[in-house]
Amino acid sequence: MTYLGFPVRMKQNFRKMTAQWWFVPVVLLLISLFIPLQFSHKPFTLTLVKTIPVGQEPLGLTLSPDFSRLYVANAQSGTISIIDTTSQSVVKTLSVNPYGRLNSVIVSPEGRTLYVSDAKSGNVEVFRLPEGQRIRTIPVRLFPQRMAFSKDNAHLYVVNSASNNISVIDTVKHTLLTNIPVNERPYAIVIAPDNRLAYVTSSQTHSITIVDLESQKTGETIVLETMS
């Protein structure tokens, strides 16, 4: 008698061999799982390296394009702390408005101009870098918050939280061009890579307003889910 072309004895030996070696794949599987765990990187952890004293209630911050300077907006102090990122120390403090409330700060892509939003005065203050000389005060609307540059750097968009719009600033002449209405209590803004659309968050309506930058008009609104 044969089994699949093999004698019966070969059939019995085959069964005995498989019965003895069934654990081999299991062992190989366990080894394949153990080795990556043994040599994998340890979990990422953060370690406090240094604490840098700045002004009162630091809120907004931004890096210079070459990462050599960190600019910190101190809301209650009305100052900007300039930190050297190599020495990790404050090298200069700019006085903006001791009675204001500085919410946000941004540096132009070429690194020569600093813009600061002052919520209390409703202005955007413009400073020349690296001297830190104030060159312009641009009135916008109520309670300016976050800012963003257009991709060609020709315009600066400023979110005005209490007047429900965004101000468009000409970055060459440093003048206000127009205001675009958005949903209630806007806060932050980002510009799409193709420079066609802007996305503005609205804390009051739990939504994101999409703004067409070419027509400078509000388009679709994305309503976000809220926790019940």
Side-chain angles (χ1 to χ4, degrees):
M1 179 181 287
T2 60
Y3 175 74
L4 296 177
F6 296 96
V8 173
R9 183 176 295 277
M10 293 183 66
K11 168 188 172 183
Q12 294 172 347
N13 292 340
F14 180 78
R15 283 181 174 177
K16 186 182 295 184
M17 183 179 65
T18 55
Q20 293 175 344
W21 291 92
W22 64 269
F23 63 91
V24 174
V26 176
V27 173
L28 292 176
L29 176 62
L30 292 174
I31 292 174
S32 66
L33 293 174
F34 176 76
I35 292 177
L37 290 173
Q38 192 71 11
F39 294 97
S40 62
H41 295 292
K42 293 181 179 180
F44 178 75
T45 58
L46 293 175
T47 303
L48 178 63
V49 176
K50 187 176 182 179
T51 299
I52 307 172
V54 287
Q56 295 182 13
E57 198 182 354
L59 283 183
L61 75 168
T62 189
L63 282 165
S64 61
D66 63 0
F67 309 116
S68 65
R69 294 288 186 268
L70 176 66
Y71 299 88
V72 183
N74 305 305
Q76 287 192 30
S77 301
T79 60
I80 300 294
S81 297
I82 304 176
I83 296 173
D84 182 290
T85 56
T86 300
S87 64
Q88 301 289 357
S89 59
V90 176
V91 293
K92 192 171 187 177
T93 300
L94 300 180
S95 179
V96 180
N97 181 4
Y99 305 104
R101 181 173 177 80
L102 311 186
N103 278 343
S104 181
V105 60
I106 192 170
V107 179
S108 59
E110 82 286 348
R112 291 197 290 265
T113 312
L114 177 73
Y115 298 85
V116 184
S117 64
D118 183 350
K120 192 167 285 188
S121 69
N123 296 328
V124 170
E125 303 291 346
V126 188
F127 294 83
R128 180 182 291 113
L129 298 176
E131 304 93 329
Q133 176 187 359
R134 193 192 311 254
I135 57 176
R136 189 66 60 91
T137 295
I138 308 171
V140 284
R141 288 299 182 266
L142 303 178
F143 220 81
Q145 296 270 11
R146 298 296 188 260
M147 300 176 284
F149 288 104
S150 60
K151 294 306 174 182
D152 59 4
N153 307 320
H155 299 125
L156 177 67
Y157 298 92
V158 184
V159 177
N160 303 303
S161 183
S163 56
N164 305 327
N165 55 25
I166 57 175
S167 294
V168 185
I169 291 175
D170 184 310
T171 56
V172 176
K173 298 179 180 179
H174 291 136
T175 55
L176 176 65
L177 297 176
T178 188
N179 294 292
I180 305 172
V182 293
N183 285 336
E184 294 178 74
R185 303 298 292 182
Y187 182 76
I189 180 172
V190 293
I191 309 297
D194 60 6
N195 204 46
R196 293 177 53 197
L197 301 175
Y199 298 86
V200 184
T201 59
S202 170
S203 60
Q204 186 71 27
T205 59
H206 310 291
S207 65
I208 295 176
T209 304
I210 302 177
V211 179
D212 186 309
L213 297 182
E214 185 175 352
S215 65
Q216 296 187 337
K217 292 182 179 180
T218 301
E220 182 184 354
T221 296
I222 303 173
V223 179
L224 306 174
E225 294 184 6
T226 58
M227 295 181 65
S228 57

